[in-house]
Amino acid sequence: MKKYMAEFVGTFWLVLGGCGSAVLAAGFPGMGIGFVGVSLAFGLTVLTMAYAIGPISGCHLNPAVSVGLFVAGRFNRQDLLPYIVAQVLGGIVAGGILYLIASGKADFSLGGFASNGYGEHSPGGYSLASALICEIVMTAIFLFVIVGATSPRASAGFAPIAIGLCLTLIHLISIPVTNTSVNPARSTAVAVFVGDWALAQLWLFWVAPILGATLGALAYRFIGKE
C-alpha cells in the first residue's frame, strides 16, 4: 500500500506543479513563465519526486510508464492496475485542488484548463494525425530514456536528472501540438473538469502514450540487450 500511496502523491505533485504552472503562471500579465517555464515545471516535478519516492515505488507517475516498464520486464503484472488507479486518482485530486485555487480569481474562466487536444483544441491547430504521431513518438523516447537511465549499467543516482530533462525537452517540442500529454493520468486529471471536448478527445491521450511506451520499451530491450 505504501508504494501505491507514493504513486498517488507523486502524480498529485506532477499535475499540480505542471498543470498548475500552465493555468496559474504561464500567461500571468507582465511576468508569465510561458511554455518554456511550463516545460521546466513538468520536468522538475518528475525530478524532485524521483528522488523522493523512487526508492519506494519507482516513481512512475504515469500509466504509460507503468505499462512500458512492464513490457521492458522491469515491473510486476500484479502491481500494474493498482499503480494506474493510484496515478489517476492522484492526478484528479490535484486537478480539483488546482480548480479551487484558480476559481478564486475574480475574472476566472475555465477555458482549456491545461487540457490536451487536437484540431481546433491544439495550441497550434495541429490535426488528429499530427497529435497521434507526436504523442506516440514522444512517449516512446521517454520510455527509452527511462529504461536506459535506470539500467544497472547506467551511472547510479543520475537517472532522475536524465528523466526530468527528457520530459522538459518533450514539452518544449510538443506543447504547440497537443499541449503535451505523454501521460494518461495527467490528461484525465484536467479533462474531467473541462468535460465536453476534453473528454471526447481523451481517448487519444490514453491510446497514443501507451502504444508509444510499449514501442519505446521494446526498442530498448532490443538495443540494450547484452
Side-chain angles (χ1 to χ4, degrees):
M1 184 58 69
K2 288 181 179 179
K3 57 189 176 184
Y4 305 146
M5 288 301 298
E7 286 296 304
F8 178 95
V9 172
T11 313
F12 174 92
W13 179 232
L14 182 143
V15 171
L16 190 63
C19 294
S21 68
V23 172
L24 303 175
F28 194 78
M31 52 186 299
I33 62 174
F35 82 89
V36 174
V38 173
S39 300
L40 285 168
F42 272 101
L44 289 171
T45 60
V46 171
L47 191 155
T48 52
M49 272 297 163
Y51 282 115
I53 67 171
I56 301 171
S57 70
C59 191
H60 297 187
L61 317 184
N62 182 338
V65 170
S66 296
V67 171
L69 290 174
F70 168 71
V71 172
R74 300 276 192 88
F75 191 52
N76 296 324
R77 182 192 299 271
Q78 63 266 29
D79 284 329
L80 188 56
L81 182 58
Y83 263 54
I84 292 173
V85 171
Q87 291 156 1
V88 171
L89 290 178
I92 291 174
V93 172
I97 296 294
L98 180 57
Y99 178 84
L100 291 175
I101 295 170
S103 61
K105 197 168 182 285
D107 59 349
F108 169 72
S109 174
L110 183 63
F113 200 55
S115 289
N116 303 113
Y118 54 84
E120 64 179 312
H121 301 294
S122 157
Y126 288 86
S127 67
L128 186 157
S130 295
L132 186 65
I133 294 168
C134 184
E135 288 290 324
I136 290 173
V137 172
M138 294 300 159
T139 316
I141 294 298
F142 192 36
L143 257 292
F144 192 89
V145 170
I146 289 172
V147 178
T150 56
S151 166
R153 290 180 287 171
S155 299
F158 289 96
I161 298 173
I163 294 167
L165 289 176
C166 181
L167 187 60
T168 298
L169 179 56
I170 285 170
H171 277 77
L172 288 172
I173 297 168
S174 60
I175 281 179
V177 183
T178 62
N179 213 21
T180 309
S181 172
V182 301
N183 185 340
R186 168 261 187 271
S187 297
T188 304
V190 289
V192 296
F193 293 93
V194 176
D196 192 25
W197 66 266
L199 288 176
Q201 296 191 355
L202 184 60
W203 67 271
L204 186 145
F205 302 104
W206 275 86
V207 173
I210 289 174
L211 177 56
T214 301
L215 294 173
L218 290 174
Y220 193 87
R221 286 190 71 167
F222 175 75
I223 294 173
K225 186 177 180 180
E226 294 192 41

